[in-house]
Amino acid sequence: AAKEGGKDRVELFDTDMHRRVLERLELRGDLQRALDAGEFELHYQPIVDLESRAPVGFEALLRWRHPRRGLVPPLEFVPLAEETGLIIPIGRWVLRKACATVARWREQIPGCDVDISVNVAPRQLRDEHFERDVQEVLRETGIAPSAVVLEITESLLAEDPKVLAARLERLRALGVRIAVDDFGTGYSALSHLRTLPIDVLKVDRTFIDGIDRDREKEALVRGIVSLGSTLRLEVVAEGIEDERQADCLRRMQSQLGQGFYFARPLPEKEAEKLLRASLAARGDESAATDRKL
Ligand code: C2E
Ligand code: MG
Ligand code: MG
Ligand code: MG
C-alpha cells in the first residue's frame, strides 16, 4: 500500500508539473500574441511633492488587458516575460509608449513639466541593444531626456559594480536619470551607492507601511532620507496609504512621495485629467496671490 501511495504521489506530481508546464507554454504564446494584438496598456501613478501635493512626475505601470482574464497585474506576467526574454520587446514598447504619452502632455498642457519613470527589468538593462533603444525612443518621441527616469531594481547593485557603473554611465550620457527602485529590500552595499551614477532612491513601501507606529522603520527611513541628501539624491517614498504616513515623511523633510493616498495608478486619460486639474489649481493659486499683492 505504501508503495502504491508513493506511486500515486509521483503521478500526482507529474500531472501537476505537466499542467504547469502547459500553462506556462500557453502563457508564453499568449504574451507574444498580446504584444502583437496591442493588449498591453500603461497606467500612470503620480509622484507628488509632499508639501504641495502637486504631481512632479508619473510612474508608468504595465497592465495586460486579457480578453478572458480581464486586467492582469504585472506580477502575474512580468517574471515569465523576463524568463522567456519577451520582456525585451515588451519593455521597449513600455518605454516608447510612456515617453510618447508624457512628451505629448508636456507639449499640450500649459505649464506641464512632469517626469516619467519607467521600470527596467534586469534582463533589459543587460541587453546589448538597450542603450540604442533608449536613444531611439528619445529621438522618436522628442521628449526631453532629463524628463526620463529609468527605474532599476536594487538587486542589480549586487552585480559587478564596474560593469554596472559603465552601463549606467552610458545611459546617463544620453541625458536620462537613474532611480533605484524598492530601495532597502536588496543587499546593496551602501558604499556602491556613492560610486554608482544614480539620481533617485525609491524607498520600498514595506518601510513606509507602519512608519507612524514603528520606531525602527521611522529611524530607517530617516536614515535613507539623510543619506539621500548627503549624496544629493532625490528620495521618493513609495506606498503612502494615509495622512499619518504622509505627515511623518513631511516631518522628516522627505520631499517626494507616491501612493494610494494621493492617487492609484490611473489609465492615461484619467492621469491626464488629474494633471490638468492640478496645473489649473496651481494657476488659480498664483493668480490669487498676484491679486493680493
Ligand atoms: P514598483 O515598480 O515598485 O511599482 C510600484 C507598485 O506599488 C505598483 O504595483 C503600484 O500599483 C503599487 N503601489 C503604489 N502605491 C501603493 C500603495 O499606496 N499601496 C500599495 N499596497 N501598493 C502601491 P503594480 O503596478 O502592481 O506593479 C508591481 C511591480 O511590477 C512594479 O513594482 C514593478 O516592479 C513591476 N512592473 C510594473 N510595470 C512594469 C514594467 O513596465 N516593466 C517591468 N520590468 N516591471 C514592471
Ligand atoms: Mg518602479
Ligand atoms: Mg517601486
Ligand atoms: Mg516597490
Side-chain angles (χ1 to χ4, degrees), residues 181-182 204 238:
D181 205 355
D182 305 337
D204 192 70
E238 293 192 294

Side-chain angles (χ1 to χ4, degrees), residues 59-61 117-120 151-153 181-182 202 238 258:
E59 177 173 4
L61 293 159
S117 294
V118 177
N119 292 286
V120 176
E151 296 193 1
I152 64 170
T153 57
D181 205 355
D182 305 337
K202 298 193 76 175
E238 293 192 294
Q258 178 179 354

